[in-house]
Amino acid sequence: MKMIKRCLTMALLLCMIIFCMTPVQAEESAQQAAENMQLTDQAGLLSETEAEEINHRLAELEERTGWEFMALTTDDAGGEDATSYAESWFDKYTGKDDGVICAIDMDNREIVVRAFGEAMYYITDNRTERILDAGYEEISEEKHAATLQAMLGEVEDAYQTENADRNYLYDEDTGEVIRHPRKKSITLSEILIALGLAIVAGGATVFGIFGRYRLKFGGYKYPIEKNGRVSLTTKEDRLVNSFVTRRQIPKQTSSGGGGGSRSAVHTGSGGRRSSGGSRKF
């Protein structure tokens, strides 16, 4: 009897464990599936052929840049504004620090582009306007696939032509100016190390010369008072005329970033900075 009770108890516990694990596994599987999807058409705006073409374009861009690329359409932003929804989506379903998301938000009636990580130095304020201009022209005619393709085309052009090393970020939340991480200033320790190496190299050269010619020092004297001759002549210069030319040098205005183009960034709800913008349609 006791044996039967034990078996029933173990069977009940096993069923409870399986019941609890199933929703977790289902949620993980759904999340993994979403993470592997570059394009998510929640609003159902794209045909199967259009979706395949956009997915192919996203894959090409990822291979070329090494960034994560996403395209999104939605008709329910869950009460969020278009920018926050796109940022949250990228944060939730990406595994990389660098990337771009282009979105069509039918709920808020906006098109959105957000860039993260290294991509922020390419998607500057000026580039953002060009991306939104390209998308707005198509979304105005309700060409949804063409909207995403046009926006991605401008992102690709930014990657190919922008000089990211010269561009800088301006944090709208803190006022901080952030240069590209590849542009590093020389530190004090690096200066001291270089100075020490220069002294060692220079000292070795000097001591080498002294050691080589040490036997010749004081061995020969040149009687300059007997062999030398000085002849002095008088020369007079007269100022005939003088001209003064004045030219006004225009004052150089500082952009605050030391050159290059600016990317205005802010920190989203996920704690990540991003550049970009949105436009109503």
Side-chain angles (χ1 to χ4, degrees):
M1 194 69 178
K2 290 182 180 180
M3 190 67 178
I4 296 174
K5 287 183 178 180
R6 287 179 183 177
C7 291
L8 290 173
T9 302
M10 292 180 65
L12 181 62
L13 288 174
L14 183 60
C15 290
M16 291 177 65
I17 291 172
I18 293 173
F19 180 78
C20 292
M21 289 181 63
T22 301
V24 175
Q25 291 173 344
E27 183 178 352
E28 289 178 352
S29 298
Q31 184 171 350
Q32 288 174 357
E35 287 176 353
N36 293 330
M37 291 179 63
Q38 297 161 312
L39 170 66
T40 305
D41 183 21
Q42 291 180 329
L45 303 176
L46 309 174
S47 68
E48 185 176 344
T49 301
E50 290 171 338
E52 288 178 1
E53 290 174 350
I54 293 173
N55 265 320
H56 182 68
R57 183 70 173 276
L58 294 169
E60 285 183 338
L61 289 171
E62 287 189 350
E63 184 177 357
R64 185 172 304 169
T65 63
W67 304 342
E68 184 92 51
F69 274 85
M70 290 184 178
L72 169 69
T73 74
T74 184
D75 53 4
D76 183 7
E80 293 186 83
D81 60 68
T83 296
S84 296
Y85 190 81
E87 290 173 339
S88 299
W89 186 269
F90 190 88
D91 286 338
K92 187 176 182 180
Y93 296 117
T94 186
K96 294 185 178 180
D97 295 328
D98 312 316
V100 175
I101 183 170
C102 295
I104 300 175
D105 186 338
M106 300 300 291
D107 188 7
N108 293 292
R109 303 293 294 180
E110 288 184 66
I111 53 174
V112 186
V113 59
R114 300 306 301 179
F116 301 81
E118 185 187 27
M120 294 187 294
Y121 293 94
Y122 292 83
I123 309 305
T124 63
D125 295 349
N126 293 334
R127 284 288 176 175
T128 295
E129 290 304 312
R130 291 175 60 174
I131 294 168
L132 296 176
D133 286 343
Y136 184 79
E137 185 176 345
E138 302 293 347
I139 198 67
S140 299
E141 300 179 8
E142 298 185 354
K143 298 178 180 178
H144 304 108
T147 298
L148 293 174
Q149 290 281 19
M151 294 173 73
L152 291 171
E154 287 295 332
V155 172
E156 182 178 14
D157 184 69
Y159 176 77
Q160 291 174 341
T161 60
E162 281 293 329
N163 187 347
D165 289 340
R166 295 187 69 246
N167 295 341
Y168 65 97
L169 311 181
Y170 173 75
D171 194 316
E172 295 178 316
D173 300 324
T174 64
E176 181 184 5
V177 173
I178 307 165
R179 302 299 302 179
H180 195 284
R182 285 200 293 264
K183 293 184 72 66
K184 296 181 180 179
S185 58
I186 300 175
T187 63
L188 178 60
S189 61
E190 290 173 336
I191 293 174
L192 293 176
I193 291 172
L195 183 60
L197 292 174
I199 292 173
V200 171
T205 303
V206 170
F207 283 114
I209 293 173
F210 270 96
R212 183 176 180 182
Y213 296 101
R214 66 183 181 278
L215 298 177
K216 296 184 180 181
F217 293 158
Y220 176 77
K221 292 183 179 181
Y222 182 80
I224 190 171
E225 65 278 0
K226 294 182 179 180
N227 299 329
R229 186 176 64 181
V230 178
S231 177
L232 301 176
T233 59
T234 302
K235 184 176 180 180
E236 186 176 318
D237 293 329
R238 295 183 180 181
L239 178 63
V240 177
N241 207 344
S242 65
F243 300 91
V244 178
T245 302
R246 290 184 174 89
R247 182 171 65 89
Q248 185 176 1
I249 301 175
K251 187 176 180 181
Q252 202 172 30
T253 58
S254 174
S255 63
S261 299
R262 187 186 86 155
S263 292
V265 302
H266 76 269
T267 302
S269 58
R272 299 176 63 178
R273 285 193 179 110
S274 66
S275 67
S278 65
R279 184 175 298 176
K280 289 279 188 181
F281 60 86

